[in-house]
Amino acid sequence: MIEVRNLVKSYHSKKGIVVGVDHVSLKIAKGEIFGIIGYSGAGKSSLLRCLNLLEKPTSGEVYIDQVELTSLNKSELRKARLKIGMIFQHFYLVSSKTVFENVAFALKAARKSKTEITDRVLWLLEIVGLADKKDAFPSQLSGGQKQRVAIARALANEPNVLLCDEATSALDPTTTKAILKLLKKINEDLGLTIVLITHEMEVVKEICDKVAVMQSGRVIEEGTVYEVFANPKEDLTKEFINTILHFGLPDRLIANKKGKIVKIVFKGEVAEESIVSDMLQTFKIRGNILHGKIEYIKEVPLGIFIMEVIGESIEIERALSFIKQRVEVLEVFDDAA
């Protein structure tokens, strides 16, 4: 559906050339919700804007539905962009126009008939839950309602792709959840491919199928959201995940440990089994749970536990071997996670 090949985007500044996107390659499947996460300056927004050529890449290729966008002339690009909707953090609604008129704007630009415009706008406002606000002005709306109008406007010309640039960053947590739920519903009901830029791992966890982590213009880690949460490889990825699955331990617990402190990751159905209980009953050891949590990512359980295992060295080794045979990740460490 979307393929980015060796994409580079450079900018000229007073200090010389700054590389915003540095040789990035990605594949995003049709109907997928793909998250791109990184801190400010990582290059994620520049990458997103290259997907519809709001930013023209310095080099590299962008394919959407097997069409290479950088090879199109202006007329062809305008036509291709009709199938790529985009929403932003700050909504960008026209304050002097009603909700109906804001959504209708793109349809008028596409020269749709008055009947087509009316039918389409009313249908879209029904989808985003704003049918009763069609005659309201942006100043009369909450932040969440404004973003719903922006989503309806982005869907006006029946796009195949929806690009979301920090679409929930200006919203409170409750409204963010509602907007993410709406995006997920649109994805499922309309079969839309969604590319979502964020600096919040909670957003990725909530609705994304896959995620790419960006740092200094590069993609440093990529995979399904579940696998990235279960087994992050890069320090930055671990830092993002730690904002949700925080497992730091007080120094006094480390200083006063009597046995071995281990971190165990249970993936899938194993997270709902009694493996730790079985271990404690099978071997002559004691276990002290220091931290633990089960998260559900795409309804699949992911359990992470930190515990102290106390007993004779040989029994501890036998117990840890028992665990290792049943889980994919077991880490023995002496410092706080």
Side-chain angles (χ1 to χ4, degrees), residues 12 14 65 67 79 92 147 178 233-234 238 242-243 318 320:
H12 291 278
K14 293 179 180 179
D65 279 338
V67 175
K79 185 177 179 181
Y92 297 119
Q147 193 58 285
K233 295 177 175 60
E234 299 294 328
K238 293 174 183 177
N242 198 45
T243 62
R318 290 177 63 204
L320 296 185

Side-chain angles (χ1 to χ4, degrees), residues 292-337:
K293 189 174 187 180
I294 294 180
E295 283 281 351
Y296 286 84
I297 300 172
K298 310 293 284 187
E299 299 186 358
V300 180
L302 173 65
I304 303 177
F305 290 88
I306 296 178
M307 65 182 299
E308 183 179 16
V309 183
I310 304 167
E312 297 293 333
S313 294
I314 190 167
E315 281 297 293
I316 291 176
E317 292 304 320
R318 290 177 63 204
L320 296 185
S321 178
F322 174 88
I323 291 287
K324 281 181 182 178
Q325 293 172 21
R326 290 159 177 79
V327 302
E328 292 187 37
V329 180
L330 186 146
E331 180 183 351
V332 180
F333 60 96
D334 294 322
D335 298 316

Side-chain angles (χ1 to χ4, degrees), residues 15 22 32 58 69 86 104 134 140 189 211 231-232 266 287:
K15 296 181 179 180
D22 191 0
E32 200 166 64
T58 304
L69 296 190
M86 190 165 186
K134 67 183 181 66
Q140 299 171 300
D189 292 351
V211 62
N231 191 24
F266 302 93

Side-chain angles (χ1 to χ4, degrees), residues 87 91 128 130 143-151 164 167-169 171-186 194 196 206-207:
I87 57 175
F91 322 130
V128 301
L130 290 178
Q145 289 170 331
K146 290 176 183 177
Q147 193 58 285
R148 287 172 183 268
V149 176
I151 291 170
C164 306
T168 60
S169 293
L171 306 176
D172 63 76
T174 301
T175 306
T176 291
K177 282 187 175 292
I179 293 297
L180 292 178
K181 185 177 180 180
L182 174 60
L183 290 174
K184 181 62 178 173
K185 179 175 171 56
I186 288 169
I194 297 177
L196 188 151
E206 196 73 25
I207 65 166

Side-chain angles (χ1 to χ4, degrees), residues 70-243:
T70 61
S71 68
L72 303 180
N73 60 38
K74 289 183 178 180
S75 174
E76 292 169 333
L77 182 58
R78 278 196 299 270
K79 185 177 179 181
R81 280 181 176 152
L82 292 176
K83 294 301 180 182
I84 308 171
M86 190 165 186
I87 57 175
F88 305 88
Q89 177 181 351
H90 297 298
F91 322 130
Y92 297 119
L93 302 181
V94 181
S95 61
S96 61
K97 293 183 180 293
T98 65
V99 166
F100 184 98
E101 291 167 338
N102 267 280
V103 178
F105 182 80
L107 292 165
K108 288 180 179 179
R111 298 184 179 181
K112 301 292 184 181
S113 70
K114 189 173 181 179
T115 300
E116 285 179 301
I117 291 172
T118 299
D119 290 346
R120 180 72 178 169
V121 172
L122 293 179
W123 181 73
L124 287 168
L125 292 180
E126 191 72 41
I127 284 178
V128 301
L130 290 178
D132 61 333
K133 298 290 185 182
K134 67 183 181 66
D135 296 321
F137 288 89
S139 61
Q140 299 171 300
L141 304 178
S142 68
Q145 289 170 331
K146 290 176 183 177
Q147 193 58 285
R148 287 172 183 268
V149 176
I151 291 170
R153 181 183 58 192
L155 298 177
N157 283 308
E158 302 180 65
N160 300 319
V161 175
L162 181 62
L163 307 180
C164 306
D165 192 359
E166 298 278 11
T168 60
S169 293
L171 306 176
D172 63 76
T174 301
T175 306
T176 291
K177 282 187 175 292
I179 293 297
L180 292 178
K181 185 177 180 180
L182 174 60
L183 290 174
K184 181 62 178 173
K185 179 175 171 56
I186 288 169
N187 165 257
E188 292 173 346
D189 292 351
L190 305 183
L192 213 62
T193 303
I194 297 177
V195 185
L196 188 151
I197 295 295
T198 185
H199 60 270
E200 300 172 284
M201 204 62 176
E202 182 65 42
V203 170
V204 171
K205 171 182 167 289
E206 196 73 25
I207 65 166
C208 293
D209 301 302
K210 291 184 179 177
V211 62
V213 182
M214 287 193 72
Q215 185 177 39
S216 301
R218 290 180 172 271
V219 171
I220 61 170
E221 189 159 358
E222 180 190 355
T224 67
V225 172
Y226 190 92
E227 285 302 321
V228 168
F229 265 83
N231 191 24
K233 295 177 175 60
E234 299 294 328
D235 288 342
L236 180 61
T237 310
K238 293 174 183 177
E239 187 176 317
F240 276 121
I241 291 172
N242 198 45
T243 62

